[in-house]
């Protein structure tokens, strides 16, 4: 009956993971049924590649200006053209991937931890924890989210870290609510009651019965909010918050190109905007794909 | 119904309190020394201390909070350094421009999204369903400032169909007599067709930009809830009783499907009020959003704070109205109040 | 049959398009219904009985289609009829009522208006007379104060009342054929009787034909002229209601009939043949305890009270003014009983009577508001539910849950589920010892050992039920609470599970508290019976006494409400 044996035994008793073959087969089925998801996975690989290796592969230094080559349209030398300082837009767009991607991943990871934890605890235990988490979420939700993010970054100061924090905060209610609802439903489920009768403590119930079962839903939530996180960060830097010039970042590059649109130099704003759009589009499709993959109703 | 309104009003009180506390905290507690900022970069420590005590920043937080709320009740949001006007006056002057833009965007979006979502659900798997899916995914993927710029490039620079993206009226048109502050309404009231056309021409592109952005969540939710309702038992009963297709879809399915859509409108407004800031910047629209962006660039804090607070209160009010609308549709909520 | 049939289904095949190609839900069936005749279609889940009826009125969902065969209704070919023709037939010639009546009504439309919609659609009323006709329709289904009920929304009515509205809706246009798809499933037994009596009376009165679709052979035989038995999309037998019980022809009918609990049966009679003993019987069956021996569990004045949802104005609540004279709602209101060692005690009552709350308190999942639960000399009611998990008594009180699917963690294999209590409360020394114990338990409950590595979604309902039972008995408990353990199972599976439970009890010497709404099942399994209503005990005594010679009026009402198939 001592705890030592129990701890030692745990790793050997691995029943929990569903058979991986069926998951793989299901993934193949999803992709074959909806090729768009396959495209999204491909795009995601491309974005990941650009974020990891982009800076060492681009043809020009993204910060080097060349006044002789200012405001040139797309050409063989400059695929996406050059901006008012003669910087190569293609290099800047590729290099920016890492920053935008990092902001999105960091903020989603942060809110996943905080919101997920708060929501699960609130849903499972109820009582005052639930009230406090609910009140915090309600207060955040009482603001138009982008406006709140503006206020937060303006107050905390203009930095990339603060963009990550602000994006995480405005997504908090979403995560907390989903996690809370899922935990709350499962608290009364038969299998949780059965586990209670088997002598599991509250925390053990939470960790072995509740969390593994709501994890898929939270992962779907994460992939669905990635796109929104990138959009939000780019929007903030578009109005001059967070990232400062000359740092290459998609939002700020679109802002720099905005004033040239009316005079016809479309490429300065277009390519970073296109990159941003592609990334968000890819994440949204990916989110739908992951949901199909995880949704047990579609797995028969 | 009156009781319902009363009950809903009560539930907004905690939200308003929360909003006020958060905006207060955003300015007073977080890093960034307001006094040093007001004093300017060249000020001596003594001068900063003097300003601090003049602004009451050396008092304990609860005391500061009380005076903050007192000022708020009197409609005092501080002075804008950039315009030299009280923030309240600035916001009041610019709010109609933002309201006109947001409303136009929302109405446009609903006019397209509702029929599209319903048709997609009713004809599941048809081309209109696929169109709906494309719209829903593309709409949320388009950065709203990017859509705006694309529209400007195509319709102003390339085609020359729309006027320059510089505000609510071009320089030759005169502002209509102010009644509501909404140019379209005011010009109609003044029976001034020319101003109406001019205002409309300026409004179309930014409104379309906003509409494209908010189209997606409404379409998606309409389709999903319509599909759910069409599979519900009571729709089967209606079918089995021989009710006509129009009656089944219109009276039975659509009204029920609207319930989640109305709830989604809350989220849509959240998106719209945020996207408004970006669209106003792109189109140099003289609303509260561009006012806040200008203040941000000038590091002018009072207008930003006033803007955040105003938007939040406005949003709380909009949510209240959505709640009441929900109550009108759903008897279960009505009787509960 | 001499007169031409009203409805003639011949050689009907219905297909559904699925991921794995077309699946035939109904395979070449023939059914005919004569004028004024009442026909039951009986079958277990997946037999295709509902699909058949949907095909008749052509409301199959998108994936389904009639692949072959003909349906003719008073000379009209329903398969070939246009959608406009079908619309005129639905509701005016053929009506349907469904299970789950509350969901079958539009939640945000007044019930009177919903009846009007049908009347207006079939030109049975004009705008000016519609209201009056709708009220008349409500009156005909014995709804008291129909003028007031006209303005009610479904959520303001009880389940039985909603079903009456659905019946009113279905009969409003005087159709010739009524199809009732499990019209009483989910309703309490007394409501069930009232609804069925009403349907039969109204349809007889109008000379209508009725198709009753049900899984309950007893119900079918009690109310219908003829019974059609379906299995896996095929009709296996059609016969007069009396004949089907007296001399069932098809082996499936025999099995189904045998598995339906009736008066005068023993538990073993439910199974097709005498079951082989599970394994060598270890312990001799323990005789029910004598009166002198102290009971295993003694429950005294047990109460569970819930505060009423705050009503009254928001203002009053805001000011902290508590609504005066609003006593809390007592879900369980001072009940006392005992469970002897080795006995099976039945706890019977309709939904909302407090039987589930009682079982949750006894299993120590929730705390009682007052009273004591003395288990083997210890007042376990005094130990907070939150801390009971750590009590050494935890392992001695276990439970088998109502829904076998819901009670298994979808991410645990069968073995992990059975092993859970062992791991928590009596960790074995090795992995092999645990496996051996799980295999032993699986064998005991008749679960093939090779299924232990499967996940719940890979098991059948009966297999999941066995896993749940194995988990409950894993630590040799003294008392097992059975919370409607077979309510979610088909009758044939129920028969097997009930027998399994009885055998396990005899072998392991446990006591059972059997919570159920089904008196026929209680009669078979229980030594003593407690009847509950509105949180209080109405009657208790030995099973023979309570069910054979009930003293309380309510018990008698419950007993007469059970549909009695011809013996």
């Amino acid at each position: 009956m001592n705890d030592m044996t129990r701890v030692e035994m745990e790793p050997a008793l691995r029943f929990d993971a569903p058979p991986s073959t069926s998951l793989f087969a299901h993934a193949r089925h999803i992709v074959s049924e909806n090729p768009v998801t396959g495209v999204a996975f491909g795009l995601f690989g491309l974005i990941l590649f650009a974020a990891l290796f982009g800076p060492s592969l681009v043809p020009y230094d993204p910060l080097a200006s060349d006044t002789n080559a200012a405001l040139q349209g797309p050409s063989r030398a400059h695929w996406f053209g050059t901006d008012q300082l003669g910087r190569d837009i293609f290099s800047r767009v590729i290099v920016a991937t890492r920053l935008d991607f990092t902001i999105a991943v960091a903020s989603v990871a942060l809110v996943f931890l905080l919101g997920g934890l708060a929501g699960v605890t609130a849903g499972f235990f109820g009582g005052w924890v639930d009230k406090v988490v609910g009140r915090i979420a309600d207060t955040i939700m009482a603001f138009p989210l982008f406006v709140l993010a503006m206020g937060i970054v303006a107050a905390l100061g203009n930095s990339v870290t603060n963009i990550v924090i602000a994006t995480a905060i405005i997504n908090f209610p979403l995560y907390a609510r989903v996690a809370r609802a899922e935990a709350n439903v499962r608290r009364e489920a038969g299998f949780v009651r059965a586990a209670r009768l088997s002598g599991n403590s509250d925390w053990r119930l939470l960790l072995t019965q509740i969390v593994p079962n709501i994890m898929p839903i939270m992962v779907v939530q994460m992939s669905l909010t990635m796109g929104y996180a990138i959009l939000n960060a780019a929007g903030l830097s578009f109005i001059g918050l967070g990232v400062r010039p000359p740092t290459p970042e998609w939002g700020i590059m679109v802002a720099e190109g905005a004033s040239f649109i009316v005079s016809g130099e479309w490429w300065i704003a277009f390519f970073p905007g296109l990159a941003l759009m592609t990334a968000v589009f890819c994440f949204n499709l990916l989110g739908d794909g992951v949901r199909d993959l995880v949704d047990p109703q579609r797995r028969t | 119904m009156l009781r319902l309104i009363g009950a809903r009003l009560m539930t907004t009180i905690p939200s308003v309190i929360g909003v006020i506390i958060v905006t207060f905290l955003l300015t007073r507690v977080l890093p960034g020394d307001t006094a040093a900022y007001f004093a300017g970069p060249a000020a001596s420590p003594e001068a900063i201390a003097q300003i601090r005590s003049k602004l009451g920043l050396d008092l304990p937080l609860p005391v500061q909070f009380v005076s903050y709320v007192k000022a708020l009740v009197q409609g005092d949001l501080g002075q804008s350094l950039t315009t030299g006007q009280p923030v309240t006056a600035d916001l009041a002057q610019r709010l109609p421009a933002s309201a006109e833009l947001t409303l136009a965007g929302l109405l446009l979006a609903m006019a397209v999204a509702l029929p599209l979502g319903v048709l997609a659900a009713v004809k599941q798997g048809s081309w209109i369903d696929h169109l709906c899916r494309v719209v829903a995914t593309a709409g949320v993927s388009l950065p709203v400032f990017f859509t705006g710029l694309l529209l400007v490039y195509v319709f102003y620079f390339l085609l020359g169909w729309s006027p320059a993206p510089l505000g609510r009226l071009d320089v030759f048109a005169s502002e209509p007599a102010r009644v509501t502050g909404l140019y379209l309404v005011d010009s109609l009231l003044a029976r001034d067709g020319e101003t109406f056309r001019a205002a409309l021409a300026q409004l179309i592109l930014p409104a379309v930009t906003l509409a494209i952005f908010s189209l997606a969540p409404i379409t998606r939710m309409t389709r999903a809830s319509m599909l759910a309702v069409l599979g519900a038992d009571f729709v089967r009963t209606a079918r089995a009783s021989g009710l006509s297709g129009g009656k089944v879809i219109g009276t039975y399915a659509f009204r029920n499907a609207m319930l989640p859509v109305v709830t989604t409108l809350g989220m849509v407004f959240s998106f719209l009020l945020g996207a408004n800031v970006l669209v106003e910047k792109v189109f140099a629209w003289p609303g509260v959003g561009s006012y806040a962006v200008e203040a941000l660039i000038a590091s002018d804090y009072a207008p930003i704070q006033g803007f955040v607070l105003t938007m939040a209160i406005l949003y709380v009010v909009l949510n209240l109205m959505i709640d009441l609308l929900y109550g009108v549709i759903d008897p279960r909520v009505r009787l509960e109040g | 049959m001499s007169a031409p049939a009203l409805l003639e289904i011949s050689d009907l095949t219905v297909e559904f398009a699925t991921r794995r190609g077309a699946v035939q839900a109904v395979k070449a069936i023939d059914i005919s219904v004569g004028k004024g005749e009442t026909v039951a279609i009986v079958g277990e889940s997946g037999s295709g009985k509902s699909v058949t009826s949907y095909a008749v009125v052509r409301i199959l969902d998108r994936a389904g289609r009639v692949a072959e065969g003909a349906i003719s209704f008073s000379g009209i070919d329903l398969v070939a009829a246009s959608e406009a023709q079908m619309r005129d037939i639905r509701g005016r010639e053929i009506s349907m009522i469904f299970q789950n009546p509350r969901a079958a009504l539009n939640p945000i439309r007044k019930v009177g208006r919903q009846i009007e919609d049908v009347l207006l659609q079939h030109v049975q009323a004009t705008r000016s007379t519609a209201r009056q006709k709708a009220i008349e329709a409500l009156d005909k289904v014995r709804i008291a104060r129909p003028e007031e009920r006209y303005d009610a929304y479904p959520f303001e009515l009880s389940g039985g009342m909603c079903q009456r509205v659905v019946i009113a809706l279905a009969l409003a246009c005087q159709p010739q054929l009524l199809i009732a798809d499990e019209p009483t499933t989910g309703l309490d037994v007394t409501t069930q009787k009232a609804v069925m009596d009403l349907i039969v009376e109204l349809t007889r009165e109008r000379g209508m034909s009725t198709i009753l679709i049900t899984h309950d052979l007893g119900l079918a035989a009690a109310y219908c002229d003829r019974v059609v038995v379906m299995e896996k999309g095929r009709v296996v037998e059609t016969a007069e209601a009396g004949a089907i019980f007296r001399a069932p022809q098809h082996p499936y009918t025999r099995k189904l009939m045998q598995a339906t609990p009736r008066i005068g049966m023993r538990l073993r009679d439910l199974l097709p043949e005498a079951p082989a003993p599970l394994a060598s019987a270890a312990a001799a069956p323990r005789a029910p305890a004598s009166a002198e021996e102290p009971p295993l569990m003694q429950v005294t004045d047990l109460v569970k009270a819930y505060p009423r949802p705050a009503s009254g104005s928001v203002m009053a609540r805001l000011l902290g003014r508590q609504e005066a004279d609003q006593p809390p709602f007592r879900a369980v209101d001072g009940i006392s009983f005992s469970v002897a060692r080795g006995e099976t005690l039945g706890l019977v009552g309709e939904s909302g009577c407090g039987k589930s709350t009682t079982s949750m308190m006894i299993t120590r999942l929730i705390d009682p508001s007052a009273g004591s639960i003395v288990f083997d000399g210890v007042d376990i009611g005094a130990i907070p539910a939150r801390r009971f998990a750590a009590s050494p008594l935890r392992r001695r009180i276990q439970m088998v849950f109502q829904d076998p699917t819901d009670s298994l963690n979808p991410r645990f294999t069968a073995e992990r589920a059975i092993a859970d209590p062992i791991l928590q409360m009596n960790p074995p020394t090795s992995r092999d010892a645990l496996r051996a114990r799980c295999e032993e338990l699986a064998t005991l409950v008749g679960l093939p050992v090779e299924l232990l590595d499967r996940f719940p979604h890979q098991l059948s309902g009966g297999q999941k039920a066995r896993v749940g039972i194995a988990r409950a008995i894993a630590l040799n408990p003294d008392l097992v609470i059975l919370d409607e353990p077979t309510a979610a199972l088909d009758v044939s599976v129920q028969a097997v599970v009930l027998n399994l439970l009885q055998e396990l009890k005899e072998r392991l010497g446990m006591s059972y508290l059997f919570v159920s709404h089904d008196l026929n099942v209680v009669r078979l399994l229980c030594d003593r019976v407690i009847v509950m209503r509105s949180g209080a005990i109405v009657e208790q005594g030995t099973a023979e006494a309570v069910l054979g010679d009930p003293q309380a009026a309510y018990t008698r009402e419950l007993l007469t409400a059970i549909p009695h198939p011809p013996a």
Side-chain angles (χ1 to χ4, degrees):
Chain A
M1 268 284 201
N2 66 53
D3 274 309
M4 278 306 292
T5 49
R6 203 184 298 178
V7 171
E8 277 167 12
M9 276 181 51
E10 285 300 318
L13 302 173
R14 295 177 61 95
F15 311 89
D16 304 16
S20 58
T21 47
S22 74
L23 184 73
F24 183 70
H26 186 68
R28 220 170 35 197
H29 170 80
I30 292 281
V31 171
S32 69
E33 191 180 71
N34 190 356
V36 180
T37 309
V39 173
F41 273 102
L43 267 180
F44 180 73
L46 211 63
I47 293 171
L48 204 62
F49 181 79
L52 288 174
F53 306 109
S56 49
L57 294 177
V58 290
Y60 296 88
D61 177 352
L63 297 178
S65 51
D66 175 5
T67 37
N68 293 330
L71 291 178
Q72 286 181 0
S75 65
R76 198 170 282 246
H78 300 281
W79 291 357
F80 291 177
T82 60
D83 64 10
Q84 71 281 13
L85 299 176
R87 294 174 296 194
D88 179 49
I89 293 176
F90 176 73
S91 304
R92 286 174 65 74
V93 165
I94 296 294
V95 170
T97 312
R98 183 182 284 182
L99 181 58
D100 279 277
F101 191 68
T102 312
I103 292 176
V105 170
S107 63
V108 167
L110 188 65
V111 70
F112 171 74
L113 277 179
L114 294 181
L117 200 68
V120 166
T121 328
F124 186 70
F125 290 107
W128 66 268
V129 186
D130 193 15
K131 288 209 176 76
V132 170
V133 172
R135 183 46 58 207
I136 293 175
D138 281 351
T139 305
I140 296 174
M141 292 286 279
F143 287 89
L145 295 180
F146 186 74
V147 171
L148 179 64
M150 280 171 65
I152 293 171
V153 179
L156 287 181
N158 235 344
S159 75
V160 173
T161 318
N162 290 340
I163 287 215
V164 170
I165 293 174
T167 308
I169 289 177
I170 63 171
N171 274 317
F172 176 87
L174 205 62
Y175 281 74
R177 282 183 176 190
V178 170
R180 183 198 173 277
E182 297 295 332
N184 200 35
V185 169
R186 284 177 178 75
R187 179 168 72 159
E188 298 301 323
F191 68 85
V192 177
R193 281 187 184 163
R196 216 181 263 285
L197 291 185
S198 305
N200 290 279
S201 66
D202 276 353
W203 284 105
R204 227 191 120 74
L205 282 182
L206 198 60
L207 289 179
T208 61
Q209 309 286 330
I210 309 260
V211 170
N213 277 298
I214 66 176
M215 210 43 138
I217 296 154
M218 295 304 286
V219 169
V220 171
Q221 188 68 38
M222 270 171 86
S223 48
L224 285 175
T225 41
M226 274 286 275
Y228 179 61
I230 286 207
L231 266 188
N232 187 69
L236 287 174
S237 50
F238 179 76
I239 56 171
L241 284 170
V243 187
R244 286 161 200 273
T247 316
E249 192 278 338
W250 294 333
I252 209 163
M253 289 168 71
V254 176
E256 284 169 352
S259 47
F260 294 95
I261 283 280
V262 284
S263 50
E265 284 93 6
W266 53 274
W267 56 90
I268 308 178
F270 179 77
F271 288 108
L274 189 69
L276 179 59
M277 196 189 86
T278 314
V280 178
F281 195 61
C282 160
F283 287 132
N284 286 337
L285 287 179
L286 214 57
D288 291 347
V290 171
R291 181 174 47 201
D292 291 351
L293 201 62
V294 164
D295 191 348
Q297 299 220 301
R298 289 202 48 172
R299 205 192 298 185
T300 44
Chain B
M1 197 63 206
L2 266 178
R3 266 181 74 174
L4 178 76
I5 295 175
R8 294 295 162 202
L9 265 176
M10 287 295 159
T11 60
T12 62
I13 289 174
S15 304
V16 172
I17 294 173
V19 161
I20 292 175
I21 292 177
V22 170
T23 37
F24 171 74
L25 290 181
L26 278 181
T27 48
R28 306 293 162 105
V29 178
L30 298 170
D33 189 339
T34 319
Y37 166 71
F38 270 102
S44 63
E46 293 77 36
I48 293 178
Q50 201 186 346
I51 287 177
R52 183 171 292 140
S53 74
K54 192 178 143 212
L55 290 174
L57 294 173
D58 52 348
L59 297 170
L61 270 185
V63 179
Q64 286 192 44
F65 183 67
V66 169
S67 53
Y68 174 77
V69 172
K70 266 188 193 154
L72 214 59
V73 170
Q74 290 160 4
D76 177 9
L77 290 169
Q79 292 271 321
S80 162
L81 295 179
T82 352
T83 65
Q85 298 278 323
V87 170
T88 323
D90 276 347
L91 287 175
Q93 207 242 320
R94 287 161 163 265
L95 208 50
S98 299
E100 184 166 41
L101 176 56
T102 311
L103 280 178
L106 180 71
L107 291 179
L108 210 57
M110 299 229 295
V112 178
L114 293 183
L116 189 60
V118 170
L119 280 177
V122 172
K123 300 192 187 304
Q124 199 190 352
S126 68
W127 65 268
I128 200 147
D129 190 20
H130 293 299
L131 176 71
C132 175
R133 280 178 65 171
V134 170
V135 165
T137 317
V140 286
S141 306
L142 281 169
V144 64
F145 48 91
F146 184 55
T147 331
L149 289 174
L150 280 185
L151 290 179
V152 168
Y153 181 72
V154 172
F155 291 100
Y156 168 69
F157 183 80
L158 287 185
L159 300 173
W161 291 357
S162 69
L166 296 168
R168 301 175 77 186
L169 280 178
D170 63 56
V171 283
F172 306 110
S174 57
E175 211 176 300
R178 183 168 175 138
V179 183
T180 57
L182 311 177
Y183 283 5
L184 290 187
V185 178
D186 285 355
S187 60
L188 279 183
L189 287 176
R191 298 182 185 283
D192 181 352
E194 197 145 323
T195 312
F196 180 82
R197 266 194 300 276
L200 188 63
Q202 294 284 12
L203 184 64
I204 284 179
L205 280 194
V208 167
T209 309
L210 272 184
I212 290 176
F213 183 65
S214 49
L215 204 58
I218 307 178
T219 315
R220 206 179 253 248
M221 187 45 88
T222 308
R223 177 179 179 274
S225 71
M226 198 68 191
L227 272 181
V229 169
L230 284 176
D233 284 4
F234 67 87
V235 168
R236 187 180 57 187
T237 311
R239 283 226 172 94
S241 333
L243 296 190
S244 66
K247 187 93 184 160
V248 171
I249 290 166
T251 312
Y252 280 70
F254 183 70
R255 262 181 52 127
N256 276 285
M258 272 308 99
L259 293 172
V261 174
V262 167
T263 313
T264 316
L265 278 187
M267 195 187 72
V268 170
F269 269 117
S270 173
F271 281 178
L272 272 177
L273 294 179
N276 217 12
V277 178
L278 301 168
V279 173
E280 284 185 13
K281 185 178 181 220
V282 170
F283 290 92
W285 196 260
V288 288
S290 53
Y291 176 64
V293 172
E294 282 158 26
L296 269 179
I297 293 164
S299 296
D300 188 358
Y301 281 102
I304 300 170
Q305 194 193 118
F307 165 74
V308 172
L309 186 68
T310 312
M311 285 294 112
I313 302 281
L314 193 67
Y315 184 50
V316 169
V317 172
L318 285 171
N319 272 322
L320 175 67
M321 282 159 58
I322 288 169
D323 260 7
L324 293 177
L325 181 62
Y326 197 100
V328 170
I329 305 180
D330 192 342
R332 285 164 291 192
V333 177
R334 207 183 305 153
L335 293 164
E336 190 181 279
Chain C
M1 241 168 294
S2 49
L6 179 68
L7 178 75
E8 189 78 59
I9 300 172
S10 45
D11 199 26
L12 178 73
T13 299
V14 180
E15 272 183 5
F16 281 85
T18 70
R19 237 160 84 166
R20 300 201 178 85
V23 171
Q24 294 189 339
V26 171
K27 297 164 193 160
I29 61 164
D30 299 296
I31 296 174
S32 78
V33 180
K35 248 186 167 24
E37 199 184 16
T38 306
V39 175
I41 304 182
V42 181
E44 297 184 294
S45 49
S47 60
K49 56 191 192 300
S50 291
V51 171
T52 306
S53 66
Y54 295 170
V56 169
V57 287
R58 292 238 314 259
I59 53 168
L60 289 166
D61 65 26
R62 214 174 293 271
R65 67 181 193 94
V66 173
E68 228 175 294
I71 305 169
S72 126
F73 175 79
S74 45
I76 308 165
D77 180 358
L78 294 187
V79 177
S82 73
E83 186 55 31
Q85 267 178 303
M86 281 312 295
R87 218 161 35 229
D88 284 340
I89 289 170
R90 291 182 204 129
R92 197 168 71 190
E93 304 296 334
I94 306 175
S95 279
M96 282 192 83
I97 55 184
F98 302 95
Q99 63 173 307
N100 195 359
R102 201 184 297 276
L105 293 169
N106 186 343
I108 60 171
R109 197 165 173 81
K110 290 173 179 170
V111 296
R113 295 294 301 277
Q114 300 191 39
I115 297 174
E116 275 184 18
D117 287 339
V118 180
L119 288 168
L120 292 170
Q121 176 75 38
H122 297 298
V123 211
Q124 301 287 310
T126 61
R127 291 246 168 248
S128 51
T129 60
R131 186 186 165 91
Q132 195 47 46
K133 289 220 169 177
I135 291 172
E136 274 167 31
L138 287 172
D139 190 45
K140 280 194 191 122
V141 293
R142 314 268 151 67
I143 287 179
R145 290 169 304 168
E147 293 87 0
E148 282 170 47
R149 296 292 187 225
Y150 173 95
D151 288 316
Y153 291 98
F155 73 97
E156 298 172 287
L157 303 174
S158 68
M161 194 75 93
C162 281
Q163 192 59 292
R164 282 166 197 266
V165 173
V166 173
I167 295 168
L169 197 83
L171 301 186
C173 298
Q174 318 273 352
Q176 300 186 57
L177 174 65
L178 176 73
I179 302 177
D181 184 3
E182 304 262 10
T184 59
T185 308
L187 298 179
D188 278 325
V189 61
T190 47
T191 320
Q192 167 174 321
K193 181 171 162 55
V195 166
M196 279 314 299
D197 287 350
L198 182 71
I199 291 175
V200 167
E201 192 195 319
L202 292 176
T203 51
R204 291 247 161 91
E205 212 169 75
R206 294 155 199 228
M208 288 169 60
S209 310
T210 309
I211 297 178
L212 173 69
I213 294 165
T214 178
H215 65 280
D216 187 342
L217 205 50
L219 191 74
Y223 287 99
C224 297
D225 307 324
R226 248 172 353 114
V227 176
V228 176
V229 181
M230 285 186 73
E231 183 202 14
K232 293 178 188 146
R234 292 185 196 283
V235 171
V236 295
E237 186 163 358
T238 305
E240 300 300 312
I244 212 145
F245 270 87
R246 254 179 285 115
Q249 298 301 308
H250 194 272
Y252 178 75
T253 318
R254 237 174 285 158
K255 190 177 132 203
L256 200 61
M257 197 209 81
Q258 207 162 21
T260 307
R262 276 161 299 154
I263 298 172
M265 280 182 102
R266 285 168 307 125
L267 202 48
R268 289 284 151 85
D269 298 340
L270 295 178
L271 298 179
E273 64 276 334
L278 282 173
S280 59
R286 196 200 288 228
S290 59
E292 293 82 54
E293 201 183 333
L296 179 66
M297 177 177 270
Q298 175 67 51
V299 172
T300 316
D301 296 331
L302 194 64
V303 174
K304 181 70 193 179
Y306 292 103
R308 287 192 195 268
S311 57
S313 74
V314 183
M315 214 51 205
R317 236 186 301 159
L318 212 69
L319 297 173
R321 218 182 291 152
Q322 207 56 44
E323 294 293 304
D325 354 301
Q326 263 280 42
F329 168 67
R330 296 184 141 208
V332 174
D333 195 1
I335 61 168
S336 304
F337 62 89
S338 64
V339 185
R341 284 172 204 275
E343 117 175 298
T344 301
L345 176 65
L347 189 56
V348 185
E350 296 187 297
S351 55
C353 74
K355 57 185 195 298
S356 296
T357 313
T358 305
S359 69
M360 297 251 289
M361 284 192 282
I362 289 171
T363 45
R364 303 301 303 113
L365 284 170
I366 57 174
D367 286 320
S369 307
S372 67
I373 305 166
V374 177
F375 179 81
D376 205 10
V378 184
D379 182 4
I380 57 169
I383 307 173
R386 283 192 48 225
R387 247 179 286 146
F388 198 70
S391 162
L393 291 172
R394 169 74 287 162
R395 51 192 290 191
R396 298 178 58 191
I397 305 173
Q398 289 293 316
M399 184 162 179
V400 176
F401 291 84
Q402 179 170 7
D403 182 347
T405 308
D406 177 58
S407 69
L408 295 178
N409 186 336
R411 305 185 83 77
F412 277 8
T413 60
E415 180 182 0
R416 179 68 180 83
I418 297 172
D420 201 37
I422 305 173
L423 285 170
Q424 296 310 311
M425 297 192 283
N426 189 16
T429 45
S430 70
R431 173 93 179 78
D432 290 340
L434 184 69
R435 176 76 191 184
R437 176 68 181 144
C438 288
E439 285 182 3
E440 188 188 345
L441 284 164
T443 316
L444 202 56
V445 299
L447 180 75
V449 171
E450 60 271 18
L451 297 185
L452 277 176
D453 296 319
R454 293 216 184 156
F455 287 92
H457 70 268
Q458 298 164 316
L459 297 172
S460 72
Q463 288 163 346
K464 282 185 269 199
R466 287 173 201 269
V467 174
I469 293 170
R471 174 175 59 191
I473 63 169
L475 293 172
N476 296 316
D478 296 314
L479 175 63
V480 176
I481 286 89
L482 308 168
D483 182 12
E484 309 240 14
T486 57
L489 302 174
D490 279 331
V491 275
S492 52
V493 184
Q494 162 175 295
V496 177
V497 170
L498 287 176
N499 272 285
L500 170 68
L501 287 168
Q502 182 65 21
E503 272 191 47
L504 287 172
K505 191 190 96 156
E506 282 163 13
R507 289 194 50 193
L508 304 174
M510 301 175 284
S511 302
Y512 282 159
L513 179 67
F514 184 79
V515 181
S516 180
H517 69 278
D518 189 337
L519 289 165
N520 278 334
V521 173
V522 168
R523 191 195 306 272
L524 291 171
L525 203 65
C526 298
D527 304 316
R528 282 194 309 127
V529 175
I530 292 175
V531 182
M532 278 185 79
R533 185 188 201 181
S534 317
I537 292 178
V538 177
E539 183 166 6
Q540 61 175 312
T542 61
E544 299 97 83
V546 173
L547 302 176
D549 180 22
Q551 298 305 306
Y554 179 64
T555 317
R556 278 199 293 274
E557 196 188 327
L558 278 182
L559 281 165
T560 47
I562 308 173
H564 287 293

